Amino acid sequence: MMNIDMRTRKSPMQKLDGRTKLIALSVIFVLVLLFSHPAYILALLGVVMVIWWSAKLPLQTIKDLFKYFLVIAVIILVVQIFFYPGQTELIRLSNPVPAIGFSGFITLEGILFGVAMVLRLVVIMIVAPLMVLTTPLPELMLALVKLKIPYRFAFIMTTALSLLPSIQSHAAIIQQAQLCRGITYDTAGKFFTKLRASVALLVPLILGSFRDSQTLEIAMSSRAFGAPVKRTFLLDSQFSKIDYLILAVTIAILVTGIVLRILGFGVY
Amino acid sequence: MDDHPPAIHCQQLDFVYPNGVQALSSVNLVIEPGEYIAFVGQNGSGKTSLVKHFNGLLKPTRGSVRIFGEDSSDKKVSYLSRKVGYVFQNPDDMLFCTSVQEEIAYGPRLLGMDHTEINQKVEHILLELGLDEHRETHPFALSLGDRQRLAVACALSLDPDVFVFDEPTTGQDYFGGKSIMNLIDQLHAKDKTIVIITHDMPLVAEHAHRVVVMSGGQIAMDGSPAQVFSQPEKLHQLSLRSPQVTQLAYEMGFTEQAILGVPEMVEWLSRSYLSADTTNPGSQP
Amino acid sequence: MSTQDPSNIVPPAQPAQVRTYKARGRIFGMSIAVMSIWAAMYIAASAIPALPVPGMAGMITVNAIMTAISGMVLGPAAAIANAAGGIVSMILFPYGFSAGPLGFLTVTMGGLVAGLLFANKWVWAAVFELIIIGAWFVNPQSWQTGMWMVPLPYSAIALLVILVKPLRDWTRRSILTQHKVWMWPAVFLMCTVGHAAEFMTTNTLVNWMFNLSWQYWVPTLPYWIMVDTVVILASTIVGVGVLIGLKKARLPNYADTLEQ
Ligand SMILES: Nc1ncnc2c1ncn2[C@@H]1O[C@H](COP(=O)(O)OP(=O)(O)OP(=O)(O)O)[C@@H](O)[C@H]1O
Ligand SMILES: [Mg+2]
């Protein structure tokens, strides 16, 4: 779980409206998928790193995250280096091996494209945490609602979030009960032991939690959930001048990006 | 001594939860095989935290817990569960199979017992706990009382010598509570060691042979029900009360020994009534 | 006074009012409360690593099983509950999502296709299944040697169950009546539909994002088929347990809304 105490890290990022951040980071996500040229993606990564730095977030978080994506990054790099149909031959490894589609050469294009795809992975990987680590969840939910995602959908997300601690402690009790029945949760990982353990956890967890749904439903209707009136919110957010400025720049960049792409720039 | 180690032996046991709450401090406790012991105490006094050490669900932060002589700290719960069975308050947390007999067979199967042995064991337990007519039933279709019996059956299937029950009667009606207590008494009659947590003082007086009162993560009192319940002031300080019969007898002046149940009370009353009869002949017509 | 008609005591407008509230608290026949609980369990399950799978970002978590059975438990509403749970868990535990911020789409599709099929809205199930497969083949990357094979294990069974009427009816009936024996293979098929939709969406997203060529996809296919089969088998065991339990304990589940 990403646990960084947001109150102790005041930064310009945290003062922005949730909507602004959501839009700006979505634009970065779109752009990184739009372009495939290593230079363009490197530039985007630069932007993301500047935001990361200005938000005063620790670099360690990126390293921690990267550990989970290391295997897939290596696969991407290796596959592109060996099999990308490039022209500029750098290193000759063997005769062509048509059966596996290998030309016998490692090409400059292959390396650059592999690097581009790995950089893309890195950007994709840290865009979402950037949002989350600088925005308290209630604010994030409010931003989603104000961006007109259906209220009931936002309600499900926020309710789920508030139910999470009780579900987690219920799951912990069930796991303890299973231990008492002879199940082992070996981390040394026998595949099938783990599988059996997840079965034994899910059935009582789902049945037990559904048993509580009636109570939740009563609580919801007693607070007039779904009453046909305009909702008001305890938290409110307002765009500041900075928000408008950043939104304007973001949209300009997006439009420029799309135009460049249509003109054929930034594609590899 | 080592030939007959105590069932449970806690020495200078401290336990601190990961969030820093100190739930137990310097608990020293010996439970001999065959005892019938009840843990009582206010909410949050550390009862559950203590008994979870008896089968390794929690490991001591400091001090030691030995279970039939074996140190619990490097033993797995799955291993210790064959010595100490733990029955959770909510039976539903323990059940996940699709029929009663599968549920009972689950543990023995994990232990690698062979097929015929498992069948015999399941058969035996079904009869013993009166669940044989439900053998094919889905556990969730059973009544709460039967689900609790099934949870006991699951613990029983691992053949433990000690049974721990965390609040077995909470949330049950009078007859449900009676029925589970009868079952526990039956287990005790078969030489099993019984550990129960409860808030129900009359239940303690009626069933247990020893009471441990917990307070603030420490053992505040330890003795037979008669000894513990004969100290109402001390209990009051710990926000507990003796059973009402005991209190009544105490208020009526019978302070030398705690009265634990209605039959004893009746006996005492009739005895004092009779003695009043004989020592006061003037009242006779 | 005592012989008054009871209908005069209760103003008729009131039950209607209550009913509109209730109706608004439901989506596709499932209550919002149940969907929130499902989403919460989904988030909790994302934190429990079940199966470390080399080659995949992070690991398969318990929620792969939840996605596979969601359609049978919640019907089409599974899509919404999974999406809500998926978005929040992506926020809290980003390491399980190789498709980045779009990762929630995979679990949404898993719930959607299986849920629609279970609700007998098979035309819509087919439409979404074909969108997933189509999105794979639109990518020029997928025109390379042997790339046509990749969606096959994920869509062949799913399309059969969706499109062949006797098979579809038998599968739904066996699950709805909770047939003692046939329920198992039927739940297996339904889990296959759900898991396949999830996994094929993941494949399609990864293919678009990272342009991996056939030299990755084709040789790893047998390995993935193995992993997926295990997940589907586990989901079948959980699914049967959950569906029977929900019915026996009279707890909310989509099958009940079908009977009404
Ligand atoms: N999982 C946990 N994490 C952190 N603290 C805990 C946990 N479980 C219990 N505690 C704390 O440890 C202390 C002892 O709790 P415990 O559950 O052992 O008490 P108890 O006597 O069983 O209470 P009750 O009668 O309510 O069951 C309490 O202060 C409680 O808040
Ligand atoms: Mg307790």
Side-chain angles (χ1 to χ4, degrees):
Chain A
M1 186 140 165
M2 316 284 297
N3 47 0
I4 289 178
D5 192 356
M6 283 178 266
R7 285 156 302 178
T8 60
R9 294 167 190 274
K10 279 278 164 243
S11 74
M13 268 301 270
Q14 279 149 40
K15 295 196 193 95
L16 290 180
D17 190 283
R19 284 169 287 180
T20 314
K21 283 187 270 188
L22 213 51
I23 292 170
L25 294 174
S26 308
V27 166
I28 292 180
F29 181 65
V30 169
L31 288 176
V32 83
L33 292 180
L34 211 53
F35 295 120
S36 54
H37 195 284
Y40 283 69
I41 296 183
L42 196 61
L44 279 167
L45 181 61
V47 172
V48 174
M49 290 312 294
V50 167
I51 302 175
W52 191 276
W53 170 79
S54 75
K56 299 198 174 69
L57 296 172
L59 279 176
Q60 188 61 38
T61 312
I62 298 184
K63 284 188 199 153
D64 289 346
L65 261 176
F66 198 71
K67 266 186 262 164
Y68 291 100
F69 291 88
L70 193 60
V71 177
I72 197 168
V74 170
I75 291 177
I76 291 173
L77 195 63
V78 169
V79 169
Q80 303 298 1
I81 286 180
F82 280 89
F83 301 115
Y84 187 83
Q87 310 300 321
T88 324
E89 300 169 0
L90 285 185
I91 308 166
R92 190 188 165 84
L93 286 182
S94 67
N95 291 326
V97 191
I100 59 161
F102 179 49
S103 66
F105 296 105
I106 288 191
T107 62
L108 180 65
E109 289 83 356
I111 292 176
L112 287 177
F113 192 69
V115 169
M117 289 300 109
V118 171
L119 291 178
R120 179 185 273 180
L121 175 70
V122 175
V123 174
I124 290 174
M125 199 181 72
I126 57 183
V127 157
L130 195 50
M131 177 77 208
V132 181
L133 294 177
T134 58
T135 321
L137 272 169
E139 245 175 66
L140 182 60
M141 294 296 162
L142 180 66
L144 287 172
V145 173
K146 289 208 155 186
L147 286 170
K148 299 275 185 287
I149 72 158
Y151 174 70
R152 289 189 297 177
F153 187 69
F155 180 88
I156 293 175
M157 287 201 287
T158 33
T159 311
L161 205 57
S162 61
L163 291 174
L164 185 61
S166 80
I167 298 261
Q168 278 181 322
S169 65
H170 189 193
I173 291 175
I174 292 172
Q175 282 182 320
Q176 289 195 337
Q178 324 268 277
L179 288 174
C180 295
R181 295 198 48 190
I183 295 182
T184 43
Y185 286 91
D186 262 337
T187 38
K190 287 194 205 85
F191 190 82
F192 286 97
T193 318
K194 276 200 173 154
L195 206 60
R196 191 151 51 182
S198 8
V199 172
L201 170 65
L202 274 179
V203 174
L205 182 64
I206 294 174
L207 294 178
S209 308
F210 271 39
R211 206 164 248 169
D212 300 338
S213 70
Q214 260 99 357
T215 327
L216 180 61
E217 218 155 308
I218 292 164
M220 277 167 59
S221 48
S222 68
R223 292 183 197 174
F225 176 83
V229 291
K230 190 176 185 307
R231 300 192 63 89
T232 53
F233 297 91
L234 201 57
L235 265 175
D236 206 358
S237 65
Q238 222 77 61
F239 278 147
S240 67
K241 274 186 194 139
I242 308 265
D243 285 304
Y244 283 113
L245 183 71
I246 290 182
L247 275 180
V249 173
T250 306
I251 289 164
I253 292 177
L254 180 64
V255 172
T256 319
I258 292 173
V259 170
L260 280 176
R261 175 65 217 261
I262 290 172
L263 295 177
F265 291 97
V267 196
Y268 198 67
Chain B
M1 180 69 199
D2 268 340
D3 293 342
H4 300 285
I8 310 285
H9 191 175
C10 306
Q11 281 176 304
Q12 290 299 110
L13 169 62
D14 282 4
F15 182 74
V16 183
Y17 278 104
N19 65 357
V21 174
Q22 172 136 17
L24 298 172
S25 27
S26 347
V27 172
N28 288 304
L29 180 75
V30 174
I31 302 177
E32 295 294 345
E35 281 200 73
Y36 196 137
I37 180 168
F39 286 84
V40 299
Q42 268 183 288
N43 291 119
S45 56
K47 305 179 293 292
T48 302
S49 307
L50 178 57
V51 300
K52 278 188 176 167
H53 280 84
F54 295 173
N55 73 340
L57 278 174
L58 297 178
K59 305 280 157 109
T61 308
R62 273 176 297 277
S64 71
V65 175
R66 272 180 285 152
I67 296 156
F68 290 102
E70 288 187 278
D71 195 307
S72 78
S73 56
D74 55 352
K75 300 285 186 306
K76 288 201 181 110
V77 183
S78 53
Y79 170 77
L80 293 171
S81 297
R82 289 141 74 175
K83 303 182 183 300
V84 181
Y86 194 111
V87 180
F88 281 69
Q89 185 187 337
N90 184 355
D92 298 349
D93 293 336
M94 299 184 75
L95 308 176
F96 48 85
C97 297
T98 49
S99 78
V100 166
Q101 56 184 10
E102 268 175 60
E103 201 79 73
I104 299 173
Y106 191 89
R109 216 174 273 153
L110 277 186
L111 293 186
M113 277 188 207
D114 71 60
H115 198 68
T116 48
E117 208 179 339
I118 293 178
N119 281 351
Q120 280 173 0
K121 183 177 281 291
V122 170
E123 224 38 55
H124 182 78
I125 293 177
L126 282 171
L127 288 173
E128 191 177 345
L129 298 200
L131 288 167
D132 48 325
E133 64 201 78
H134 296 301
R135 65 179 66 225
E136 298 286 347
T137 312
H138 193 282
F140 270 75
L142 296 174
S143 67
L144 176 63
D146 283 339
R147 292 208 296 280
Q148 201 168 27
R149 279 178 173 266
L150 180 55
V152 177
C154 293
L156 197 57
S157 71
L158 300 173
D159 276 334
D161 296 313
V162 181
F163 280 84
V164 176
F165 295 87
D166 195 344
E167 307 199 19
T169 58
T170 306
Q172 302 245 23
D173 61 15
Y174 177 76
F175 290 105
K178 264 270 179 270
S179 136
I180 188 75
M181 288 316 297
N182 281 339
L183 177 58
I184 295 174
D185 288 351
Q186 272 176 39
L187 290 170
H188 183 244
K190 288 188 181 140
D191 293 333
K192 304 287 188 190
T193 311
I194 304 293
V195 174
I196 95 172
I197 294 181
T198 183
H199 291 281
D200 183 343
M201 296 302 157
L203 182 153
V204 174
E206 191 185 344
H207 296 270
H209 300 173
R210 179 177 166 196
V211 195
V212 171
V213 183
M214 302 279 301
S215 172
Q218 288 176 314
I219 294 181
M221 296 167 83
D222 183 350
S224 70
Q227 286 165 340
V228 169
F229 291 138
S230 62
Q231 293 164 271
E233 289 87 5
K234 191 153 182 206
L235 282 173
H236 187 75
Q237 280 168 11
L238 301 167
S239 311
L240 296 175
R241 276 159 177 260
S242 327
Q244 280 179 337
V245 208
T246 317
Q247 288 177 48
L248 180 63
Y250 191 84
E251 295 293 319
M252 287 173 72
F254 189 80
T255 47
E256 56 236 65
Q257 194 203 327
I259 292 280
L260 294 179
V262 175
E264 264 179 81
M265 178 80 176
V266 171
E267 199 197 307
W268 173 65
L269 280 176
S270 54
R271 233 190 309 124
S272 22
Y273 176 76
L274 281 178
S275 63
D277 253 8
T278 47
T279 52
N280 211 356
S283 69
Q284 277 183 323
Chain C
M1 229 24 198
S2 56
T3 53
Q4 207 182 16
D5 189 314
S7 66
N8 288 346
I9 303 169
V10 182
Q14 207 157 333
Q17 187 78 24
V18 171
R19 214 170 297 135
T20 45
Y21 271 37
K22 250 201 143 143
R24 285 183 137 253
R26 291 180 176 270
I27 304 177
F28 292 124
M30 285 317 282
S31 85
I32 293 217
V34 171
M35 291 161 72
S36 308
I37 287 175
W38 183 269
M41 284 190 287
Y42 196 93
I43 305 165
S46 325
I48 306 169
L51 314 169
V53 177
M56 195 149 127
M59 48 205 70
I60 290 190
T61 44
V62 181
N63 55 26
I65 298 175
M66 289 189 67
T67 307
I69 66 169
S70 59
M72 289 176 288
V73 177
L74 301 175
I80 295 164
N82 288 356
I87 290 177
V88 179
S89 38
M90 182 186 70
I91 289 172
L92 296 177
F93 316 105
Y95 41 76
F97 292 81
S98 47
L102 293 181
F104 77 93
L105 277 180
T106 66
V107 297
T108 308
M109 290 315 259
L112 189 61
V113 175
L116 287 169
L117 175 61
F118 193 59
N120 209 18
K121 301 191 164 90
W122 64 275
V123 179
W124 283 108
V127 167
F128 285 106
E129 183 69 30
L130 290 172
I131 288 177
I132 298 171
I133 302 168
W136 171 269
F137 282 112
V138 169
N139 190 339
Q141 199 76 18
S142 315
W143 307 339
Q144 300 173 353
T145 328
M147 288 286 268
W148 58 272
M149 280 191 278
V150 178
L152 204 61
Y154 298 105
S155 48
I157 296 179
L159 283 176
L160 278 180
V161 182
I162 294 172
L163 297 176
V164 179
K165 184 168 163 40
L167 182 59
R168 177 175 74 232
D169 290 346
W170 174 84
T171 307
R172 292 186 63 245
R173 196 163 3 96
S174 305
I175 300 175
L176 285 171
T177 58
Q178 306 210 334
H179 189 283
K180 223 172 151 40
V181 179
W182 300 128
M183 182 182 188
W184 287 88
V187 168
F188 179 87
L189 287 178
M190 203 55 109
C191 288
T192 308
V193 173
H195 183 68
E198 178 194 1
F199 213 84
M200 200 49 220
T201 309
T202 310
N203 281 351
T204 303
L205 285 173
V206 169
N207 195 24
W208 276 99
M209 286 177 165
F210 304 116
N211 294 291
L212 287 167
S213 52
W214 70 271
Q215 286 94 342
Y216 167 75
W217 290 108
V218 178
T220 53
L221 196 53
Y223 171 74
W224 287 119
I225 293 175
M226 200 184 68
V227 173
D228 292 322
T229 309
V230 172
V231 173
I232 293 169
L233 280 173
S235 309
T236 306
I237 300 171
V238 175
V240 169
V242 168
L243 290 172
I244 296 180
L246 287 174
K247 188 164 179 178
K248 297 279 185 210
R250 296 171 200 287
L251 294 171
N253 67 96
Y254 189 70
D256 289 349
T257 69
L258 284 177
E259 280 157 21
Q260 282 160 12

